[in-house]
Amino acid sequence: MSEDLERKSTPWLTAGFDWEGVAAALAALLIGMLLGAFWSVLFWIGFAIMVAALLSGRWSKRAVPDLANGIIAPCDGLVVSVSREDPPSELRMTEKPTMRIRISSSPAATNRLYAPIAGSLESLIVETGDRSVPLAMRPEDEGLTVSYLTFESQGHQVGVRLASGGLGPRQEIEVEAGDILRLGRIFGKRRLGGWCDIYVPANTGQLIWPGQTLVGGETVLGRLKSSSDPDLFEDMMAEEEPEGAEEEVLDEVQDDGDDYYPEPDETDTPEDPAVMFARLREAAKNKPAGD
């Protein structure tokens, strides 16, 4: 009985609210109740702000997969499109073209952001949005708060572009360029949803598709190529050794007279020593005495 109760209560221990969100929600509710005494509409406005504050502070603990060279979703959301695109110049990525995975997150999505790969943060650019733009209806709208982050691991780069409305403290990046991050480490918050474009190398195996729901910090998007991959190792060997190289080496060995080794049937097998001594005795008997 106690085990069943613990199993049922465990999910509640993996979710919660930031204290900033709870404080803002209580303040909005209190102000709404005070102003609602004069006009009831103001209470509902305060109530709506309270709900938004709670949603902006919602988080959930995630189990990061133990995957070498893995790429995981940096946030919760829905995959809108997967296409080959050149990364924006703000990401300063050297690999082109890349595979762009566009993710849409609802206002009810959790606010934490997770490192998509294990490596270093090479570049960070944050553009403050316009307070007159409360929601990010489209990812390319003007006035949005946008953050550009480029992660690097073993010579491979993964870029992340985060876009959200400009009203309020919608994005909070808690890392700096040069920091070393493990896979799935929390590097910031994005409140009340928005857009996320993640740019991965074009040769990354695609494990997701449009319409799929992603769980930030858990869903695997692909895997970076490494020198230990068999197919990559075979390609490297093919480049280093051109075709026909093995035949040329064998021909050189066979043409070299000094290193020529005859076949077994081409050699003379020595006679039996007993037969040789019998022949010598017979020759000595037949030899004249004067010789």
Side-chain angles (χ1 to χ4, degrees), residues 8-45:
K8 292 179 180 179
S9 62
T10 300
W12 294 99
L13 301 178
T14 62
F17 297 91
D18 295 332
W19 68 268
E20 300 97 330
V22 174
L26 292 177
L29 179 61
L30 179 59
I31 295 175
M33 293 176 63
L34 293 176
L35 297 179
F38 301 96
W39 189 24
S40 60
V41 176
L42 296 178
F43 169 78
W44 295 110
I45 293 176

Side-chain angles (χ1 to χ4, degrees), residues 55-75:
L55 291 177
S56 67
R58 194 170 72 91
W59 57 267
S60 180
K61 187 177 180 180
R62 301 293 162 78
V64 180
D66 184 10
L67 179 63
N69 302 321
I71 307 174
I72 62 175
C75 62

Side-chain angles (χ1 to χ4, degrees), residues 234-275:
E234 292 176 0
D235 295 341
M236 293 173 61
M237 294 298 295
E239 294 177 1
E240 295 177 359
E241 296 184 9
E243 296 182 0
E246 185 176 354
E247 290 80 2
E248 294 178 1
V249 174
L250 293 176
D251 293 339
E252 292 178 0
V253 172
Q254 293 178 357
D255 293 339
D256 192 349
D258 296 337
D259 296 334
Y260 173 74
Y261 296 95
E263 296 294 332
D265 57 348
E266 297 179 3
T267 61
D268 295 329
T269 304
E271 296 181 345
D272 189 353
V275 177

Side-chain angles (χ1 to χ4, degrees), residues 2 17 22 32 34 59 65 79-80 82 84-85 89 92 94 99 114 119 125 153 179 217 237 252 262 289-290:
S2 59
F17 297 91
V22 174
L34 293 176
W59 57 267
V79 178
V80 176
V82 179
R84 285 180 176 266
E85 301 284 347
S89 58
R92 303 173 183 174
T94 58
M99 188 73 69
Y114 307 87
I125 298 177
S153 175
D179 289 352
M237 294 298 295
E252 292 178 0

Side-chain angles (χ1 to χ4, degrees), residues 194-210:
W195 298 88
C196 174
D197 291 340
I198 178 170
Y199 296 84
V200 301
N203 60 355
T204 300
Q206 180 180 335
L207 300 178
I208 46 87
W209 56 89

